[in-house]
Amino acid sequence: MWWGVVAALLANLLFSIGFVVEKRALSGLPPLSAARPTQVVWHLLRSPLWIVGAGALGLGFVAQLAVYRTLPLIAAQGLFVTGLVMLLLLSSLFLGEESTGGERRSMVLILLALVMIVVSLRGEEEPISRHAPTVPLLLVCVPAILAGLALFATAERRSRRRHRLPTSGVPYGVAVGFLYGVSSLAIKGVAGHLDTGDLGGSALAVLTSPYPYLLLVTGSSGLVLSQTALQRCRASLIVPVCTTVTFLFTVAAGTLVFAEPLPDDPLRLALRLGGSALAVTVLLALPRHEPGAEDPGPEEPHPARPPAEESRAEEPHAARAAAGDPVASRPPSVDRPPLPRPT
């Protein structure tokens, strides 16, 4: 179990470094758009700094394989949440992103949720499931992928509207969190098929399962969406929201499809469920817009001219009518017949 804890902390470090390096690289790239995925990938691959960050994230995913082989799903996800504090420190040091007081309090509450979950692990060893039935897995993962894509598209449309507050990135983080949640389940499935004593059989088992194909879909779409969101918004908010949604989805869906039982002890069960509920509360309390942004309000129609200005505008018309002009003497609201055409 301790090897799993060490691997989880190493994964957190690699993920935090990767996100910070990628954010630095994205600041020097042209504006990215998820509507042009090929262009996004082209710009990313031309940035050596971004490739370094992507390499750190890739090593973090490798460390995740060791975590899922040694720890229950909910325990592994609980440990991954600790990376939020590490990311908060790194983004402040290297990106200059100053978090608000509310966001710092949210990080403290997330750490409290983590402690509750870790304490719930104490006791007897818990069983670790290796595989999930294909049909229940797809019934959970496919709607989550579609929901993430739809939510991101909705956030994009809302951000283009005039008179909108600049978004803080919460909708983007939730959308990417759904995709990464599916990736977490797929990584757990791949880890369950790995057998160092039979690499050929492990490869065949992995390729005949839905896990690598789920990883292909979520990896490609998550790459474009996450980098677009990370370029526009603060990493210190995008990543915590994404991590929280990933944690909640993976725990809820993974417990269902992988059939990992919850603790039998009432206290441990309350701690585990209470920690998850606290994480949900923190997510809902995060601000939806950047701090300091003012609501421009609805667009108002052009104001009517004051009566004094209206009377001054009518003065030339009234003067012409008093002089006997037959056209000016007609009321403005009366439709004028067309003038006869000269013969």
Side-chain angles (χ1 to χ4, degrees):
M1 175 175 289
W2 289 111
W3 282 110
V5 174
V6 173
L9 296 178
L10 177 61
N12 288 341
L13 177 62
L14 291 169
F15 284 141
S16 299
I17 293 175
F19 279 123
V20 170
V21 173
E22 284 187 346
K23 177 66 175 177
R24 287 289 297 270
L26 290 169
S27 63
L29 296 181
L32 304 179
S33 173
R36 301 182 182 89
T38 305
Q39 187 182 75
V40 171
V41 175
W42 172 251
H43 285 309
L44 295 178
L45 294 180
R46 295 180 63 188
S47 171
L49 185 60
W50 183 88
I51 293 176
V52 172
L57 292 180
L59 293 175
F61 283 117
V62 174
Q64 275 190 331
L65 293 174
V67 178
Y68 285 129
R69 287 187 62 85
T70 55
L71 292 178
L73 188 63
I74 190 171
Q77 286 298 314
L79 289 173
F80 291 146
V81 176
T82 60
L84 301 181
V85 178
M86 193 178 301
L87 175 75
L88 191 66
L89 295 175
L90 291 178
S91 62
S92 177
L93 290 174
F94 297 103
L95 299 178
E97 296 183 352
E98 295 298 332
S99 301
T100 64
E103 290 170 356
R104 288 190 289 270
R105 288 190 292 271
S106 297
M107 295 303 105
V108 174
L109 292 177
I110 287 178
L111 283 179
L112 176 59
L114 167 70
V115 171
M116 295 172 65
I117 293 172
V118 171
V119 171
S120 73
L121 292 172
R122 301 183 61 183
E124 69 278 2
E125 293 289 334
E126 298 184 34
I128 301 174
S129 298
R130 303 294 183 187
H131 312 290
T134 301
V135 173
L137 179 70
L138 294 179
L139 288 176
V140 168
C141 292
V142 173
I145 295 174
L146 296 177
L149 296 176
L151 182 59
F152 194 94
T154 301
E156 285 282 89
R157 287 195 299 269
R158 290 173 63 87
S159 66
R160 296 192 188 101
R161 294 178 184 175
R162 296 181 60 190
H163 305 288
R164 290 287 304 174
L165 285 172
T167 179
S168 65
V170 172
Y172 294 114
V174 173
V176 177
F178 276 117
L179 298 178
Y180 283 175
V182 175
S183 295
S184 295
L185 295 182
I187 292 174
K188 178 175 174 58
V190 171
H193 283 88
L194 291 180
D195 184 2
T196 55
D198 184 13
L199 295 179
S202 298
L204 180 61
V206 169
L207 292 176
T208 54
S209 70
Y211 303 120
Y213 310 105
L214 289 174
L215 276 175
L216 180 62
V217 173
T218 56
S220 57
S221 58
L223 172 66
V224 175
L225 269 58
S226 64
Q227 299 307 304
T228 303
L230 194 61
Q231 186 186 53
R232 300 178 183 176
C233 310
R234 288 183 294 126
S236 56
L237 186 61
I238 280 282
V239 179
V241 172
C242 176
T243 303
T244 304
V245 175
T246 300
F247 163 74
L248 295 173
F249 174 81
T250 305
V251 167
T255 301
L256 176 65
V257 298
F258 281 92
E260 286 189 350
L262 291 171
D264 296 328
D265 181 66
L267 178 59
R268 295 173 60 210
L269 177 62
L271 288 171
R272 192 165 301 185
L273 296 180
S276 301
L278 180 58
V280 173
T281 304
V282 172
L283 173 63
L284 296 177
L286 286 173
R288 266 53 177 176
H289 303 285
E290 285 290 355
E294 296 182 357
D295 190 354
E299 186 174 2
E300 296 181 356
H302 184 73
R305 287 184 295 183
E309 293 186 9
E310 290 287 348
S311 61
R312 286 196 300 269
E314 292 296 329
E315 285 178 359
H317 184 276
R320 292 196 306 270
D325 188 348
V327 176
S329 61
R330 296 194 187 112
S333 60
V334 177
D335 294 334
R336 298 168 184 169
L339 297 176
R341 302 177 64 182
T343 57

